[in-house]
Amino acid sequence: MWYLFMIIGLYLITPILNNSIYYISRNTLWTVALLLLLFGMINSSYDQIMNNKVSFILWFVNYLGYFILGYLIKDSKRRFSFLVLSSAYIICSILIAVLSMYTLKQYDNLYFYGYLSPLVIIGSLSFYKLFHQLKLKENIFSKISYLSLGIYLIHAGVLSVLTKVLSILEINMFNNPIIGIPMKFGVTFFISIVAAWIISKIKYLRKII
């Protein structure tokens, strides 16, 4: 749930960013966003190597590049082909899996799996731009999108309980990642949606989601 702590800093600095971006050209803003993302990538690696413990109120600094790029991509008119964006995402995902497995075995490190590693940055931005360009019509996911924060808040607890129940019942088939990952995802996602929807109907609790 680190994201909830990190986003506090982003919320606090958003008014300052809103007042500043109107005085900065789009080209300059793109440059600033990319430099901030590069800074975040380098700074997070430095903190990891030096084992620095940064206060949660400053976690947002490393993610400012992501934050501003999200804003810029949302308003960008430039389009990329579906093949280019989907290929970038798939290739990055494969490389992340392979390299993470290697570094975990050789160095007990998951650098390439980190949110600010180069492959994750390229893959996530490609994925975001891909769906931004699709211009999908209203669908089941858009109808439940208002529950997304609630699902996020609930899913960790649901997954934890599910894992403990499977362990107590000694159901080992889910230990196979090919079976376990999609099945646990499906069950956790479904229960989280239902729980978030129920909470959204309760007068004094609906505001938290």
Side-chain angles (χ1 to χ4, degrees), residues 56-88:
F56 76 89
I57 202 66
L58 296 176
W59 289 357
F60 78 95
V61 174
N62 287 344
Y63 294 89
L64 273 174
Y66 267 128
F67 194 49
I68 299 174
L69 279 173
Y71 165 78
L72 290 170
I73 291 174
K74 177 181 69 69
D75 291 338
S76 175
K77 303 299 181 183
R78 184 175 181 181
R79 298 182 63 86
F80 296 88
S81 72
F82 178 86
L83 180 61
V84 169
L85 293 174
S86 58
S87 297

Side-chain angles (χ1 to χ4, degrees), residues 98-110 112:
V98 173
L99 292 171
S100 294
M101 184 169 61
Y102 173 77
T103 56
L104 181 62
K105 289 182 178 180
Q106 296 296 322
Y107 307 105
D108 192 29
N109 184 278
L110 285 171
F112 290 100

Side-chain angles (χ1 to χ4, degrees), residues 8-140:
I8 293 173
L10 288 180
Y11 279 152
L12 290 175
I13 201 172
T14 295
I16 298 175
L17 292 176
N18 281 338
N19 291 329
S20 301
I21 58 176
Y22 294 108
Y23 302 99
I24 304 174
S25 69
R26 276 293 183 271
N27 288 337
T28 301
L29 199 56
W30 276 101
T31 301
V32 170
L34 291 172
L35 288 175
L36 284 171
L37 196 57
L38 179 61
F39 168 80
M41 183 174 66
I42 295 172
N43 193 48
S44 64
S45 297
Y46 175 79
D47 287 339
Q48 187 178 48
I49 293 171
M50 301 302 294
N51 197 29
N52 290 335
K53 302 297 182 182
V54 181
S55 172
F56 76 89
I57 202 66
L58 296 176
W59 289 357
F60 78 95
V61 174
N62 287 344
Y63 294 89
L64 273 174
Y66 267 128
F67 194 49
I68 299 174
L69 279 173
Y71 165 78
L72 290 170
I73 291 174
K74 177 181 69 69
D75 291 338
S76 175
K77 303 299 181 183
R78 184 175 181 181
R79 298 182 63 86
F80 296 88
S81 72
F82 178 86
L83 180 61
V84 169
L85 293 174
S86 58
S87 297
Y89 173 73
I90 293 170
I91 291 171
C92 284
S93 297
I94 294 172
L95 288 175
I96 289 167
V98 173
L99 292 171
S100 294
M101 184 169 61
Y102 173 77
T103 56
L104 181 62
K105 289 182 178 180
Q106 296 296 322
Y107 307 105
D108 192 29
N109 184 278
L110 285 171
Y111 168 75
F112 290 100
Y113 194 70
Y115 303 121
L116 286 161
S117 68
L119 291 171
V120 171
I121 289 173
I122 295 171
S124 59
L125 292 177
S126 299
F127 194 73
Y128 177 65
K129 180 63 176 175
L130 176 65
F131 275 88
H132 178 257
Q133 288 184 176
L134 287 179
K135 304 295 184 183
L136 298 174
K137 296 181 180 179
E138 186 177 21
N139 53 64
I140 181 63

